Amino acid sequence: MNLTLKIWRQKNAKAKGSFVTYKLEGASQEMSFLEMLDYLNTTLIKKGEDPVAFEHDCREGICGTCSLYINGRAHGQDSMSATCELRMSRYKDGDTIVIEPWRAKAFPVIKDLIVDRLAFEKILEAGGFISANAGAAPEANSIPVPREHADKAFDAASCIGCGACVSACKNASAQLFIASKVSQLALLPQGRAEAKSRARNMIAKADELGFGSCTNTGACEVECPKGISLAHIARLNREFLKATL
Amino acid sequence: MSNFLKASIGRKLLVGLSGLFLFSFILVHLTVNLFLLAGQESYNIATHFMTTNPVIQTIEPILAIGFILHIGISVWLTFWNQRARPEKFLKVDQSKSSTWPSRNMFVLGGLIFIFLVIHISNFWYKINFTEIGYIEHGGEMVKDAYTMVATSFSNWWYVVIYVAGAVFLGFHLNHGFQSAFQTIGVSNEIWRKRWTVLGNFLSVLIAAGFSIIALYFLLKTL
Ligand code: SF4
Ligand code: FES
């Protein structure tokens, strides 16, 4: 299949970037989206050009490294799927595909399609932990956890920290990410001890880093590759209320 | 408390709470308007009650504060959110991930605000501060607000503005209602669906309710 790719190219963090259009011939519907980009890069390298920089690691939807905004949607058109899980069978011969990096003040572009997501680490450092002594693993049943809480905490913990929620959000808000981290801890007894300062500090950090605020459009939940639920944001709001009032 | 107001979530909470408060006012407002359909006497007695009852009179300034908070903080948050994405995407397709009203609350709010200014100067200001005709109901002289409303609604262009205002309000509430409950944390997977369904119902009810009354008066003059 032949494709027209409109890709954001930017030499480094300081350079001014722009869109470059590539005509790619001979891509196959059996490729994954990232393989299609690998193939594009091979053709660029053969021509002596700089390949397109994009992030990827596991290529099976578990690491959260891949991060492309494809045709106006975070991780492309498929729901519950990261960019690396997107297949070229979703496209037709002759399609034009616009590929952009995540866009947010807190996620500056480093090169081409790669953004710096250190801001997420900083939010985690502000409260996404429990400060218990990590000795040997304790007996699993010594702290009883209701099944329902365990399941919800596990759902929240499936966030892979990709940042799709931020780019899907019209306000570039990190609320879904923060909510998943707050929930996974707040639902478990070990996380209750620091629940108050956690919600408050993580929110304050996100504000300071320049993320927007949540207006509940729900776009994050739809675009999140792990289907993290908005219910976690409601829980975050409750935790925040409890912590500040 | 200072932590609360400094945080974006805290401010958003105030938007949600003030929104719910304004929503309750809208419900009362629509209820009073329904008296218009019951006839001149019922409506005039209802407005007489609303403009003279001490409880309602004390709520009025609180209502004004509600409006100021809701509008002021929303404007602030909207600008704050604009700053969070200085470089825009070239191609954005949010139509599959969120509803149109949810993405346009600021625009809808702005349109409602314009309507509100027209509306307040047309009705509330006139009823409260200008000399309008009096009429006797049950031995008491009360302002004849009914005739004033009926006259306004005999102007087709005013009805157009009014219906447009009601529809904008409906769209605004369509997102705003469930969003407020999410913001104050009174929501989970099941309740979000319930709030959404209820919000859909109430937003249609409100948009249709206000519109039908205006159209009823316009049709009566034909
Ligand atoms: S909440 Fe979803 S979209 Fe956001 S970082 Fe986690 S996995 Fe990615
Ligand atoms: S490359 Fe690991 S999630 Fe996509």
Side-chain angles (χ1 to χ4, degrees), chain A residues 69 72 100-101 103 105 166 168-170 175 203 207 212-216 221 229-230 234 237-238, chain B residues 4 8-9 12 80-81 84-85 87 89-91 93-94 97 103 175 179 182-183 185 187 189 192:
Chain A
Y69 199 77
E100 306 177 62
R103 293 269 184 223
K105 186 177 170 214
V166 174
C169 175
K170 79 187 234 306
Q175 207 85 328
I203 291 293
D207 284 350
S213 78
C214 177
T215 58
N216 306 319
E221 180 189 60
S229 159
L230 287 186
N237 291 342
R238 281 198 293 279
Chain B
F4 177 83
S8 58
I9 294 201
K12 174 69 180 167
W80 163 274
N81 289 339
R85 178 168 292 136
E87 185 127 26
F89 287 111
L90 176 73
K91 185 170 178 188
D93 179 8
Q94 288 167 333
S97 56
R103 282 176 271 127
H175 171 72
S179 173
Q182 170 81 0
T183 299
S187 182
E189 229 123 306
R192 181 151 131 260

mmCIF file of all heavy atoms in Angstrom, chain A residues 69 72 100-101 103 105 166 168-170 175 203 207 212-216 221 229-230 234 237-238, chain B residues 4 8-9 12 80-81 84-85 87 89-91 93-94 97 103 175 179 182-183 185 187 189 192:
data_model
loop_
_atom_site.group_PDB
_atom_site.id
_atom_site.type_symbol
_atom_site.label_atom_id
_atom_site.label_comp_id
_atom_site.label_asym_id
_atom_site.label_seq_id
_atom_site.Cartn_x
_atom_site.Cartn_y
_atom_site.Cartn_z
ATOM 1 N N TYR A 69 0.383 10.712 18.372
ATOM 2 C CA TYR A 69 -0.933 11.307 18.168
ATOM 3 C C TYR A 69 -1.214 11.159 16.676
ATOM 4 O O TYR A 69 -0.606 11.819 15.841
ATOM 5 C CB TYR A 69 -0.875 12.778 18.583
ATOM 6 C CG TYR A 69 -2.221 13.404 18.867
ATOM 7 C CD1 TYR A 69 -2.887 13.153 20.053
ATOM 8 C CD2 TYR A 69 -2.801 14.268 17.938
ATOM 9 C CE1 TYR A 69 -4.105 13.751 20.327
ATOM 10 C CE2 TYR A 69 -4.023 14.867 18.212
ATOM 11 C CZ TYR A 69 -4.671 14.611 19.403
ATOM 12 O OH TYR A 69 -5.875 15.200 19.679
ATOM 13 N N GLY A 72 -5.278 12.901 14.721
ATOM 14 C CA GLY A 72 -6.107 13.620 15.690
ATOM 15 C C GLY A 72 -6.472 12.841 16.930
ATOM 16 O O GLY A 72 -7.273 13.314 17.737
ATOM 17 N N GLU A 100 1.787 13.144 15.041
ATOM 18 C CA GLU A 100 2.309 14.249 15.859
ATOM 19 C C GLU A 100 2.777 13.730 17.213
ATOM 20 O O GLU A 100 2.331 12.681 17.670
ATOM 21 C CB GLU A 100 1.206 15.300 16.096
ATOM 22 C CG GLU A 100 0.574 15.805 14.812
ATOM 23 C CD GLU A 100 -0.561 16.786 15.073
ATOM 24 O OE1 GLU A 100 -0.301 17.859 15.653
ATOM 25 O OE2 GLU A 100 -1.707 16.468 14.698
ATOM 26 N N PRO A 101 3.645 14.478 17.859
ATOM 27 C CA PRO A 101 4.025 14.104 19.232
ATOM 28 C C PRO A 101 2.932 14.543 20.202
ATOM 29 O O PRO A 101 2.062 15.330 19.837
ATOM 30 C CB PRO A 101 5.306 14.902 19.469
ATOM 31 C CG PRO A 101 5.166 16.110 18.591
ATOM 32 C CD PRO A 101 4.352 15.685 17.397
ATOM 33 N N ARG A 103 1.245 16.809 22.771
ATOM 34 C CA ARG A 103 1.435 18.254 22.904
ATOM 35 C C ARG A 103 0.953 18.716 24.263
ATOM 36 O O ARG A 103 -0.235 18.616 24.576
ATOM 37 C CB ARG A 103 0.620 18.984 21.840
ATOM 38 C CG ARG A 103 1.111 18.755 20.432
ATOM 39 C CD ARG A 103 2.106 19.813 20.051
ATOM 40 N NE ARG A 103 2.526 19.677 18.666
ATOM 41 C CZ ARG A 103 3.785 19.796 18.291
ATOM 42 N NH1 ARG A 103 4.739 20.016 19.176
ATOM 43 N NH2 ARG A 103 4.108 19.699 17.020
ATOM 44 N N LYS A 105 2.394 21.652 27.542
ATOM 45 C CA LYS A 105 3.473 22.494 28.064
ATOM 46 C C LYS A 105 4.417 21.653 28.922
ATOM 47 O O LYS A 105 5.633 21.818 28.893
ATOM 48 C CB LYS A 105 2.864 23.610 28.899
ATOM 49 C CG LYS A 105 3.848 24.633 29.372
ATOM 50 C CD LYS A 105 3.107 25.730 30.127
ATOM 51 C CE LYS A 105 4.090 26.645 30.813
ATOM 52 N NZ LYS A 105 3.553 27.137 32.080
ATOM 53 N N VAL A 166 -3.209 12.904 28.790
ATOM 54 C CA VAL A 166 -2.873 14.324 28.713
ATOM 55 C C VAL A 166 -3.093 14.850 27.301
ATOM 56 O O VAL A 166 -3.674 15.918 27.099
ATOM 57 C CB VAL A 166 -1.405 14.562 29.140
ATOM 58 C CG1 VAL A 166 -1.012 16.016 28.929
ATOM 59 C CG2 VAL A 166 -1.194 14.139 30.580
ATOM 60 N N ALA A 168 -4.998 13.533 24.954
ATOM 61 C CA ALA A 168 -6.397 13.440 24.513
ATOM 62 C C ALA A 168 -7.235 14.563 25.113
ATOM 63 O O ALA A 168 -8.265 14.945 24.569
ATOM 64 C CB ALA A 168 -6.982 12.099 24.926
ATOM 65 N N CYS A 169 -6.769 15.098 26.232
ATOM 66 C CA CYS A 169 -7.536 16.104 26.959
ATOM 67 C C CYS A 169 -7.398 17.467 26.309
ATOM 68 O O CYS A 169 -6.298 17.901 26.001
ATOM 69 C CB CYS A 169 -7.021 16.188 28.397
ATOM 70 S SG CYS A 169 -7.797 17.493 29.358
ATOM 71 N N LYS A 170 -8.517 18.155 26.128
ATOM 72 C CA LYS A 170 -8.455 19.482 25.521
ATOM 73 C C LYS A 170 -7.742 20.472 26.429
ATOM 74 O O LYS A 170 -7.293 21.509 25.982
ATOM 75 C CB LYS A 170 -9.852 19.975 25.150
ATOM 76 C CG LYS A 170 -10.664 20.519 26.299
ATOM 77 C CD LYS A 170 -12.080 20.822 25.854
ATOM 78 C CE LYS A 170 -12.502 22.250 26.176
ATOM 79 N NZ LYS A 170 -12.349 22.645 27.588
ATOM 80 N N GLN A 175 -5.088 14.545 34.979
ATOM 81 C CA GLN A 175 -5.957 14.036 36.041
ATOM 82 C C GLN A 175 -6.115 12.516 36.039
ATOM 83 O O GLN A 175 -6.123 11.902 37.098
ATOM 84 C CB GLN A 175 -7.342 14.689 35.903
ATOM 85 C CG GLN A 175 -8.084 14.783 37.203
ATOM 86 C CD GLN A 175 -7.698 16.026 37.964
ATOM 87 O OE1 GLN A 175 -6.561 16.491 37.882
ATOM 88 N NE2 GLN A 175 -8.603 16.580 38.701
ATOM 89 N N ILE A 203 -1.458 16.809 43.150
ATOM 90 C CA ILE A 203 -2.199 17.837 42.418
ATOM 91 C C ILE A 203 -1.389 19.138 42.359
ATOM 92 O O ILE A 203 -1.263 19.771 41.310
ATOM 93 C CB ILE A 203 -3.555 18.117 43.104
ATOM 94 C CG1 ILE A 203 -4.486 16.921 42.956
ATOM 95 C CG2 ILE A 203 -4.209 19.368 42.555
ATOM 96 C CD1 ILE A 203 -4.926 16.652 41.558
ATOM 97 N N ASP A 207 -0.109 21.055 38.964
ATOM 98 C CA ASP A 207 -0.400 22.473 38.695
ATOM 99 C C ASP A 207 0.897 23.230 38.421
ATOM 100 O O ASP A 207 0.996 23.995 37.474
ATOM 101 C CB ASP A 207 -1.107 23.116 39.903
ATOM 102 C CG ASP A 207 -2.579 22.695 39.987
ATOM 103 O OD1 ASP A 207 -3.068 22.075 39.017
ATOM 104 O OD2 ASP A 207 -3.218 22.975 41.013
ATOM 105 N N GLY A 212 -3.035 21.203 32.653
ATOM 106 C CA GLY A 212 -4.311 21.908 32.788
ATOM 107 C C GLY A 212 -5.165 21.250 33.856
ATOM 108 O O GLY A 212 -4.762 20.281 34.491
ATOM 109 N N SER A 213 -6.378 21.789 34.049
ATOM 110 C CA SER A 213 -7.254 21.201 35.051
ATOM 111 C C SER A 213 -8.372 20.429 34.346
ATOM 112 O O SER A 213 -8.670 20.662 33.191
ATOM 113 C CB SER A 213 -7.832 22.280 35.951
ATOM 114 O OG SER A 213 -8.869 22.941 35.285
ATOM 115 N N CYS A 214 -8.958 19.506 35.087
ATOM 116 C CA CYS A 214 -9.934 18.587 34.501
ATOM 117 C C CYS A 214 -11.298 19.256 34.329
ATOM 118 O O CYS A 214 -11.794 19.894 35.251
ATOM 119 C CB CYS A 214 -10.060 17.380 35.417
ATOM 120 S SG CYS A 214 -11.277 16.186 34.892
ATOM 121 N N THR A 215 -11.898 19.109 33.140
ATOM 122 C CA THR A 215 -13.265 19.588 32.972
ATOM 123 C C THR A 215 -14.213 18.432 32.645
ATOM 124 O O THR A 215 -15.295 18.635 32.092
ATOM 125 C CB THR A 215 -13.385 20.684 31.892
ATOM 126 O OG1 THR A 215 -12.897 20.156 30.656
ATOM 127 C CG2 THR A 215 -12.590 21.915 32.235
ATOM 128 N N ASN A 216 -13.784 17.228 32.961
ATOM 129 C CA ASN A 216 -14.637 16.039 32.825
ATOM 130 C C ASN A 216 -15.200 15.812 31.432
ATOM 131 O O ASN A 216 -16.339 15.362 31.301
ATOM 132 C CB ASN A 216 -15.817 16.107 33.821
ATOM 133 C CG ASN A 216 -15.343 16.320 35.242
ATOM 134 O OD1 ASN A 216 -14.363 15.719 35.655
ATOM 135 N ND2 ASN A 216 -16.028 17.171 35.983
ATOM 136 N N GLU A 221 -10.468 8.838 29.255
ATOM 137 C CA GLU A 221 -10.903 7.463 29.504
ATOM 138 C C GLU A 221 -11.049 6.706 28.185
ATOM 139 O O GLU A 221 -10.689 5.536 28.084
ATOM 140 C CB GLU A 221 -12.248 7.490 30.243
ATOM 141 C CG GLU A 221 -12.822 6.134 30.565
ATOM 142 C CD GLU A 221 -14.254 6.252 31.098
ATOM 143 O OE1 GLU A 221 -15.131 6.772 30.371
ATOM 144 O OE2 GLU A 221 -14.479 5.824 32.225
ATOM 145 N N SER A 229 -10.680 4.105 34.358
ATOM 146 C CA SER A 229 -12.023 4.687 34.437
ATOM 147 C C SER A 229 -12.033 6.075 35.077
ATOM 148 O O SER A 229 -11.241 6.368 35.977
ATOM 149 C CB SER A 229 -12.912 3.744 35.246
ATOM 150 O OG SER A 229 -14.019 4.445 35.754
ATOM 151 N N LEU A 230 -12.976 6.888 34.606
ATOM 152 C CA LEU A 230 -13.176 8.217 35.196
ATOM 153 C C LEU A 230 -13.564 8.116 36.667
ATOM 154 O O LEU A 230 -13.434 9.090 37.414
ATOM 155 C CB LEU A 230 -14.295 8.967 34.465
ATOM 156 C CG LEU A 230 -14.042 9.517 33.067
ATOM 157 C CD1 LEU A 230 -15.241 10.330 32.646
ATOM 158 C CD2 LEU A 230 -12.806 10.384 33.046
ATOM 159 N N ALA A 234 -13.119 10.655 40.141
ATOM 160 C CA ALA A 234 -14.064 11.017 41.204
ATOM 161 C C ALA A 234 -13.456 10.673 42.564
ATOM 162 O O ALA A 234 -13.594 11.428 43.527
ATOM 163 C CB ALA A 234 -15.388 10.292 41.012
ATOM 164 N N ASN A 237 -10.897 13.234 43.461
ATOM 165 C CA ASN A 237 -11.551 14.454 43.942
ATOM 166 C C ASN A 237 -12.000 14.302 45.395
ATOM 167 O O ASN A 237 -11.874 15.229 46.190
ATOM 168 C CB ASN A 237 -12.749 14.803 43.053
ATOM 169 C CG ASN A 237 -12.321 15.246 41.656
ATOM 170 O OD1 ASN A 237 -11.169 15.614 41.453
ATOM 171 N ND2 ASN A 237 -13.227 15.196 40.716
ATOM 172 N N ARG A 238 -12.514 13.118 45.728
ATOM 173 C CA ARG A 238 -12.912 12.873 47.125
ATOM 174 C C ARG A 238 -11.709 12.913 48.050
ATOM 175 O O ARG A 238 -11.742 13.531 49.115
ATOM 176 C CB ARG A 238 -13.565 11.487 47.249
ATOM 177 C CG ARG A 238 -14.993 11.416 46.795
ATOM 178 C CD ARG A 238 -15.667 10.166 47.351
ATOM 179 N NE ARG A 238 -15.141 8.915 46.822
ATOM 180 C CZ ARG A 238 -15.489 8.382 45.645
ATOM 181 N NH1 ARG A 238 -16.338 8.995 44.875
ATOM 182 N NH2 ARG A 238 -14.978 7.222 45.237
ATOM 183 N N PHE B 4 -6.755 24.355 49.467
ATOM 184 C CA PHE B 4 -7.934 24.040 48.674
ATOM 185 C C PHE B 4 -8.094 25.031 47.523
ATOM 186 O O PHE B 4 -8.288 24.668 46.374
ATOM 187 C CB PHE B 4 -9.155 24.072 49.597
ATOM 188 C CG PHE B 4 -10.454 23.831 48.905
ATOM 189 C CD1 PHE B 4 -10.865 22.532 48.656
ATOM 190 C CD2 PHE B 4 -11.258 24.877 48.518
ATOM 191 C CE1 PHE B 4 -12.069 22.288 48.017
ATOM 192 C CE2 PHE B 4 -12.468 24.648 47.884
ATOM 193 C CZ PHE B 4 -12.876 23.349 47.629
ATOM 194 N N SER B 8 -5.882 23.649 41.449
ATOM 195 C CA SER B 8 -6.834 23.723 40.344
ATOM 196 C C SER B 8 -8.092 22.915 40.669
ATOM 197 O O SER B 8 -9.194 23.330 40.348
ATOM 198 C CB SER B 8 -6.197 23.215 39.054
ATOM 199 O OG SER B 8 -5.762 21.890 39.218
ATOM 200 N N ILE B 9 -7.924 21.766 41.336
ATOM 201 C CA ILE B 9 -9.099 20.944 41.675
ATOM 202 C C ILE B 9 -10.013 21.704 42.621
ATOM 203 O O ILE B 9 -11.239 21.654 42.488
ATOM 204 C CB ILE B 9 -8.727 19.629 42.383
ATOM 205 C CG1 ILE B 9 -7.964 18.704 41.459
ATOM 206 C CG2 ILE B 9 -9.975 18.912 42.861
ATOM 207 C CD1 ILE B 9 -8.032 17.256 41.908
ATOM 208 N N LYS B 12 -11.953 24.152 40.710
ATOM 209 C CA LYS B 12 -12.946 23.458 39.888
ATOM 210 C C LYS B 12 -14.122 22.995 40.761
ATOM 211 O O LYS B 12 -15.273 23.008 40.332
ATOM 212 C CB LYS B 12 -12.264 22.269 39.208
ATOM 213 C CG LYS B 12 -13.182 21.363 38.428
ATOM 214 C CD LYS B 12 -13.745 22.015 37.182
ATOM 215 C CE LYS B 12 -14.662 21.048 36.467
ATOM 216 N NZ LYS B 12 -15.467 21.686 35.441
ATOM 217 N N TRP B 80 -6.219 29.312 32.238
ATOM 218 C CA TRP B 80 -5.187 28.437 32.794
ATOM 219 C C TRP B 80 -5.025 27.207 31.890
ATOM 220 O O TRP B 80 -3.913 26.790 31.556
ATOM 221 C CB TRP B 80 -5.603 28.041 34.214
ATOM 222 C CG TRP B 80 -4.900 26.864 34.790
ATOM 223 C CD1 TRP B 80 -5.243 25.554 34.641
ATOM 224 C CD2 TRP B 80 -3.736 26.864 35.624
ATOM 225 N NE1 TRP B 80 -4.387 24.741 35.329
ATOM 226 C CE2 TRP B 80 -3.448 25.529 35.939
ATOM 227 C CE3 TRP B 80 -2.918 27.876 36.126
ATOM 228 C CZ2 TRP B 80 -2.363 25.159 36.747
ATOM 229 C CZ3 TRP B 80 -1.850 27.511 36.928
ATOM 230 C CH2 TRP B 80 -1.574 26.171 37.233
ATOM 231 N N ASN B 81 -6.134 26.634 31.479
ATOM 232 C CA ASN B 81 -6.089 25.438 30.646
ATOM 233 C C ASN B 81 -5.542 25.725 29.255
ATOM 234 O O ASN B 81 -4.918 24.865 28.636
ATOM 235 C CB ASN B 81 -7.481 24.808 30.550
ATOM 236 C CG ASN B 81 -7.886 24.171 31.866
ATOM 237 O OD1 ASN B 81 -7.033 23.862 32.701
ATOM 238 N ND2 ASN B 81 -9.171 23.972 32.059
ATOM 239 N N ALA B 84 -1.858 25.404 29.161
ATOM 240 C CA ALA B 84 -1.283 24.075 29.330
ATOM 241 C C ALA B 84 -0.896 23.430 28.003
ATOM 242 O O ALA B 84 -0.236 22.394 27.986
ATOM 243 C CB ALA B 84 -2.266 23.172 30.084
ATOM 244 N N ARG B 85 -1.360 24.013 26.899
ATOM 245 C CA ARG B 85 -0.960 23.461 25.595
ATOM 246 C C ARG B 85 -0.620 24.612 24.661
ATOM 247 O O ARG B 85 -1.438 25.015 23.831
ATOM 248 C CB ARG B 85 -2.072 22.581 25.009
ATOM 249 C CG ARG B 85 -1.721 22.018 23.630
ATOM 250 C CD ARG B 85 -2.670 20.922 23.168
ATOM 251 N NE ARG B 85 -2.518 19.728 23.970
ATOM 252 C CZ ARG B 85 -3.542 19.018 24.444
ATOM 253 N NH1 ARG B 85 -4.774 19.396 24.203
ATOM 254 N NH2 ARG B 85 -3.317 17.933 25.166
ATOM 255 N N GLU B 87 1.577 24.807 22.208
ATOM 256 C CA GLU B 87 1.664 24.402 20.802
ATOM 257 C C GLU B 87 0.506 23.452 20.507
ATOM 258 O O GLU B 87 0.378 22.412 21.145
ATOM 259 C CB GLU B 87 3.001 23.711 20.539
ATOM 260 C CG GLU B 87 3.213 23.365 19.106
ATOM 261 C CD GLU B 87 4.540 23.909 18.574
ATOM 262 O OE1 GLU B 87 5.489 24.116 19.363
ATOM 263 O OE2 GLU B 87 4.625 24.118 17.369
ATOM 264 N N PHE B 89 -2.163 20.897 18.391
ATOM 265 C CA PHE B 89 -2.079 19.800 17.426
ATOM 266 C C PHE B 89 -2.517 20.321 16.065
ATOM 267 O O PHE B 89 -3.337 21.242 15.969
ATOM 268 C CB PHE B 89 -3.019 18.656 17.825
ATOM 269 C CG PHE B 89 -2.548 17.857 19.004
ATOM 270 C CD1 PHE B 89 -3.217 17.930 20.218
ATOM 271 C CD2 PHE B 89 -1.461 17.002 18.898
ATOM 272 C CE1 PHE B 89 -2.803 17.175 21.313
ATOM 273 C CE2 PHE B 89 -1.043 16.244 19.991
ATOM 274 C CZ PHE B 89 -1.710 16.326 21.192
ATOM 275 N N LEU B 90 -1.987 19.713 15.006
ATOM 276 C CA LEU B 90 -2.412 20.099 13.656
ATOM 277 C C LEU B 90 -3.797 19.521 13.379
ATOM 278 O O LEU B 90 -4.699 20.184 12.899
ATOM 279 C CB LEU B 90 -1.408 19.566 12.618
ATOM 280 C CG LEU B 90 -1.784 19.820 11.162
ATOM 281 C CD1 LEU B 90 -1.607 21.286 10.806
ATOM 282 C CD2 LEU B 90 -0.932 18.959 10.224
ATOM 283 N N LYS B 91 -3.954 18.233 13.710
ATOM 284 C CA LYS B 91 -5.237 17.587 13.445
ATOM 285 C C LYS B 91 -5.795 17.045 14.756
ATOM 286 O O LYS B 91 -5.129 16.261 15.433
ATOM 287 C CB LYS B 91 -5.033 16.440 12.448
ATOM 288 C CG LYS B 91 -6.328 15.805 12.032
ATOM 289 C CD LYS B 91 -6.144 14.853 10.875
ATOM 290 C CE LYS B 91 -7.479 14.201 10.547
ATOM 291 N NZ LYS B 91 -7.351 13.127 9.569
ATOM 292 N N ASP B 93 -9.167 15.218 16.547
ATOM 293 C CA ASP B 93 -10.459 14.571 16.371
ATOM 294 C C ASP B 93 -10.961 14.084 17.734
ATOM 295 O O ASP B 93 -10.659 12.987 18.170
ATOM 296 C CB ASP B 93 -10.316 13.393 15.396
ATOM 297 C CG ASP B 93 -11.631 12.667 15.208
ATOM 298 O OD1 ASP B 93 -12.672 13.151 15.709
ATOM 299 O OD2 ASP B 93 -11.625 11.607 14.558
ATOM 300 N N GLN B 94 -11.695 14.958 18.402
ATOM 301 C CA GLN B 94 -12.192 14.589 19.730
ATOM 302 C C GLN B 94 -13.653 14.156 19.678
ATOM 303 O O GLN B 94 -14.265 13.893 20.700
ATOM 304 C CB GLN B 94 -12.015 15.768 20.702
ATOM 305 C CG GLN B 94 -10.549 15.974 21.063
ATOM 306 C CD GLN B 94 -10.280 17.290 21.755
ATOM 307 O OE1 GLN B 94 -10.995 18.262 21.566
ATOM 308 N NE2 GLN B 94 -9.223 17.326 22.541
ATOM 309 N N SER B 97 -14.327 10.861 21.328
ATOM 310 C CA SER B 97 -13.943 10.626 22.715
ATOM 311 C C SER B 97 -14.689 11.508 23.708
ATOM 312 O O SER B 97 -14.646 11.264 24.901
ATOM 313 C CB SER B 97 -12.429 10.815 22.886
ATOM 314 O OG SER B 97 -12.032 12.088 22.451
ATOM 315 N N ARG B 103 -16.905 19.933 25.371
ATOM 316 C CA ARG B 103 -15.722 20.642 24.869
ATOM 317 C C ARG B 103 -15.995 22.127 24.684
ATOM 318 O O ARG B 103 -15.085 22.899 24.398
ATOM 319 C CB ARG B 103 -15.289 20.041 23.527
ATOM 320 C CG ARG B 103 -14.525 18.745 23.682
ATOM 321 C CD ARG B 103 -14.199 18.125 22.344
ATOM 322 N NE ARG B 103 -15.267 17.240 21.905
ATOM 323 C CZ ARG B 103 -15.873 17.310 20.736
ATOM 324 N NH1 ARG B 103 -15.528 18.225 19.871
ATOM 325 N NH2 ARG B 103 -16.840 16.477 20.431
ATOM 326 N N HIS B 175 -23.792 18.702 29.860
ATOM 327 C CA HIS B 175 -22.498 18.277 30.386
ATOM 328 C C HIS B 175 -22.357 18.654 31.869
ATOM 329 O O HIS B 175 -21.866 17.868 32.669
ATOM 330 C CB HIS B 175 -21.354 18.911 29.594
ATOM 331 C CG HIS B 175 -20.012 18.671 30.226
ATOM 332 N ND1 HIS B 175 -19.412 17.427 30.213
ATOM 333 C CD2 HIS B 175 -19.186 19.470 30.939
ATOM 334 C CE1 HIS B 175 -18.261 17.493 30.877
ATOM 335 N NE2 HIS B 175 -18.093 18.720 31.333
ATOM 336 N N SER B 179 -21.061 16.461 35.222
ATOM 337 C CA SER B 179 -19.701 16.913 35.492
ATOM 338 C C SER B 179 -19.573 17.433 36.926
ATOM 339 O O SER B 179 -18.569 17.184 37.600
ATOM 340 C CB SER B 179 -19.330 18.007 34.494
ATOM 341 O OG SER B 179 -18.105 18.589 34.812
ATOM 342 N N GLN B 182 -19.277 14.576 39.306
ATOM 343 C CA GLN B 182 -17.941 13.977 39.172
ATOM 344 C C GLN B 182 -16.922 14.848 39.918
ATOM 345 O O GLN B 182 -16.075 14.348 40.648
ATOM 346 C CB GLN B 182 -17.608 13.891 37.673
ATOM 347 C CG GLN B 182 -16.178 13.507 37.342
ATOM 348 C CD GLN B 182 -15.935 12.011 37.433
ATOM 349 O OE1 GLN B 182 -16.822 11.241 37.750
ATOM 350 N NE2 GLN B 182 -14.701 11.605 37.189
ATOM 351 N N THR B 183 -17.030 16.156 39.756
ATOM 352 C CA THR B 183 -16.068 17.071 40.369
ATOM 353 C C THR B 183 -16.131 17.033 41.890
ATOM 354 O O THR B 183 -15.093 17.065 42.553
ATOM 355 C CB THR B 183 -16.319 18.515 39.887
ATOM 356 O OG1 THR B 183 -16.148 18.544 38.472
ATOM 357 C CG2 THR B 183 -15.361 19.485 40.523
ATOM 358 N N GLY B 185 -16.934 14.601 43.540
ATOM 359 C CA GLY B 185 -16.553 13.258 43.970
ATOM 360 C C GLY B 185 -17.725 12.334 44.253
ATOM 361 O O GLY B 185 -17.529 11.212 44.703
ATOM 362 N N SER B 187 -19.540 10.310 42.616
ATOM 363 C CA SER B 187 -19.756 9.555 41.389
ATOM 364 C C SER B 187 -18.859 8.329 41.395
ATOM 365 O O SER B 187 -17.806 8.321 42.031
ATOM 366 C CB SER B 187 -19.429 10.446 40.186
ATOM 367 O OG SER B 187 -19.674 9.763 38.993
ATOM 368 N N GLU B 189 -18.522 4.355 38.832
ATOM 369 C CA GLU B 189 -18.882 3.801 37.533
ATOM 370 C C GLU B 189 -20.400 3.783 37.298
ATOM 371 O O GLU B 189 -20.888 4.145 36.243
ATOM 372 C CB GLU B 189 -18.334 2.386 37.413
ATOM 373 C CG GLU B 189 -17.606 2.199 36.124
ATOM 374 C CD GLU B 189 -16.174 1.750 36.346
ATOM 375 O OE1 GLU B 189 -15.423 2.400 37.093
ATOM 376 O OE2 GLU B 189 -15.833 0.738 35.786
ATOM 377 N N ARG B 192 -22.077 7.495 37.612
ATOM 378 C CA ARG B 192 -21.814 8.392 36.488
ATOM 379 C C ARG B 192 -22.864 8.181 35.405
ATOM 380 O O ARG B 192 -23.370 9.126 34.820
ATOM 381 C CB ARG B 192 -20.416 8.179 35.924
ATOM 382 C CG ARG B 192 -20.179 9.127 34.781
ATOM 383 C CD ARG B 192 -18.742 9.507 34.611
ATOM 384 N NE ARG B 192 -18.383 9.328 33.222
ATOM 385 C CZ ARG B 192 -17.744 8.299 32.768
ATOM 386 N NH1 ARG B 192 -17.333 7.349 33.578
ATOM 387 N NH2 ARG B 192 -17.484 8.194 31.497
#
